Amino acid sequence: MQKPSRPPHTPLRLGTRGSPLALAQAHMTMAALRAHHGWDEGAIEIVVVQTSGDRIQDRALAEIGGKALWTKELDRALTSGEIDFAVHSMKDVETIRPAEIRIAAMLPRADVRDRLVGAESFAALPERPVVGTSSPRRAAQVKRLRPDAEVILFRGNVATRLAKLERGEAHATLLAAAGLDRLDQGDVGVTIPVEVMLPAPSQGAVGVETLSTNEAMLELLAAISDADTFDCVMAERAVLAGLGGTCHSPIAALARLEDGQIHLRTEIISPDGRETVSDSLRISRGDAAAAGDMGRGLLDRASPALRALFEA
């Protein structure tokens, strides 16, 4: 019987945001490591790091610094040695990461779809519905499906957004199925097919990062990484790199493995929902160049107004 590997020191410090969903994902990561390596309960401790994105709730991310608001404090904790590794929702991780930090593992991907909360369907919403979301991608897709909709800003964790809906601030909102499932709220909302709303790049994926120079930690994390999830998510992130997309930009992408190849679907949408540029491609696993070219190709076909969103 193989002897369990030992952490380089005990306990290992796992950094995470403090939201209920982030903590649930941290516990998933901790459980995967303990199960694979045969560690006891004291091998890992969770270190909560408050991020700017958690503190500032009244403005869109694009106005206050983008996705780095979810990662920069955890990055600082990693580089300063306060934590050994960090867990993230991969869709919240900016496309270009610091050279000293590496995405070392991804857990098996959960449901990639969105859920509509507050109505049985978009068609069932009243005339001129109010829909709450902080996502440019969801906002644009809502406007495409319901041009009469008014989209208002909904920030905060799942409980906060559901509370806003309960108070009548909007007729409906949109939440990731994966997040609801991880919070044991799988009965909340109606699942939207990807053919209706293509998800955000990396939606449903949990990633784990550590320092690029921490060879021991990289090896421990690689052991729990799901290769299929990793390759698909990295293909979606390569599309983002090709687009030069920011959180101002309504982008959707989904990669799935089919017959040993990655089937990649992407689209960019104007904020008013009137223009959609989409593409579909089969690429080899690890072919970031082809995925990046796909993103650049979308921009080549976009109107000047839509292309300008990616050049700001």
Side-chain angles (χ1 to χ4, degrees):
M1 182 175 178
Q2 186 177 5
K3 185 178 179 181
S5 57
R6 299 305 306 162
H9 62 79
T10 304
L12 291 172
R13 299 156 300 172
L14 171 55
T16 178
R17 293 168 51 204
S19 73
L21 178 56
L23 289 169
Q25 293 174 167
H27 282 281
M28 289 166 51
T29 303
M30 182 168 64
L33 281 165
R34 286 182 52 209
H36 184 88
H37 294 294
W39 296 342
D40 59 30
E41 290 186 6
I44 303 170
E45 68 172 350
I46 290 175
V47 179
V48 174
V49 177
Q50 189 179 40
T51 69
S52 301
D54 293 309
R55 288 194 297 271
I56 305 169
Q57 296 291 329
D58 59 346
R59 286 176 285 169
L61 284 180
E63 297 177 8
I64 53 175
K67 290 183 177 181
L69 294 175
W70 301 125
T71 57
K72 65 179 181 179
E73 284 88 357
L74 284 161
D75 290 351
R76 191 178 301 122
L78 260 180
T79 55
S80 68
E82 297 169 42
I83 59 175
D84 299 295
F85 59 123
V87 63
H88 300 284
S89 292
M90 282 305 304
K91 73 174 181 178
D92 293 335
V93 178
E94 63 268 36
T95 309
I96 307 300
R97 300 295 288 131
E100 63 268 29
I101 293 173
R102 186 183 304 176
I103 301 169
M106 294 184 203
L107 302 185
R109 197 172 197 172
D111 194 335
V112 300
R113 296 171 295 178
D114 289 310
R115 289 201 186 123
L116 178 67
V117 186
E120 289 300 309
S121 67
F122 286 102
L125 286 167
E127 190 176 352
R128 293 189 294 276
V130 177
V131 179
T133 182
S134 62
S135 161
R137 187 260 317 173
R138 287 175 177 149
Q141 289 171 326
V142 167
K143 294 293 287 184
R144 182 174 64 193
L145 293 163
R146 286 293 302 261
D148 62 329
E150 177 189 358
V151 179
I152 65 170
L153 180 67
F154 259 31
R155 284 280 317 279
N157 62 33
V158 169
T160 298
R161 283 181 276 175
L162 291 176
K164 289 181 177 183
L165 191 63
E166 185 68 23
R167 291 195 298 268
E169 295 182 23
H171 293 105
T173 189
L174 293 149
L175 295 167
L180 289 167
D181 290 344
R182 288 169 182 149
L183 293 170
D184 296 321
Q185 293 181 273
D187 58 341
V188 172
V190 177
T191 304
I192 305 167
V194 296
E195 291 74 22
V196 176
M197 287 187 74
L198 198 66
S202 308
Q203 186 154 307
V206 174
V208 193
E209 293 188 322
T210 191
L211 294 178
S212 301
T213 55
N214 190 341
E215 294 295 339
M217 197 71 240
L218 288 167
E219 184 177 351
L220 293 169
L221 292 173
I224 65 164
S225 189
D226 184 80
D228 292 351
T229 297
F230 195 97
D231 288 349
C232 286
V233 169
M234 294 307 285
E236 293 165 18
R237 287 174 60 81
V239 171
L240 282 174
L243 283 164
T246 69
C247 46
H248 294 271
S249 315
I251 304 167
L254 179 61
R256 285 178 165 161
L257 279 170
E258 295 180 4
D259 300 323
Q261 285 193 307
I262 289 176
H263 180 210
L264 184 56
R265 295 172 54 198
T266 61
E267 65 180 27
I268 55 176
I269 316 128
S270 63
D272 61 10
R274 293 180 181 177
E275 180 183 359
T276 298
V277 183
S278 60
D279 201 358
S280 178
L281 182 70
R282 292 184 183 275
I283 63 174
S284 300
R285 296 174 78 139
D287 192 350
D293 288 343
M294 186 182 193
R296 287 183 284 274
L298 292 174
L299 288 181
D300 290 341
R301 293 161 47 208
S303 68
L306 180 53
R307 192 160 53 244
L309 290 177
F310 297 83
E311 297 169 350

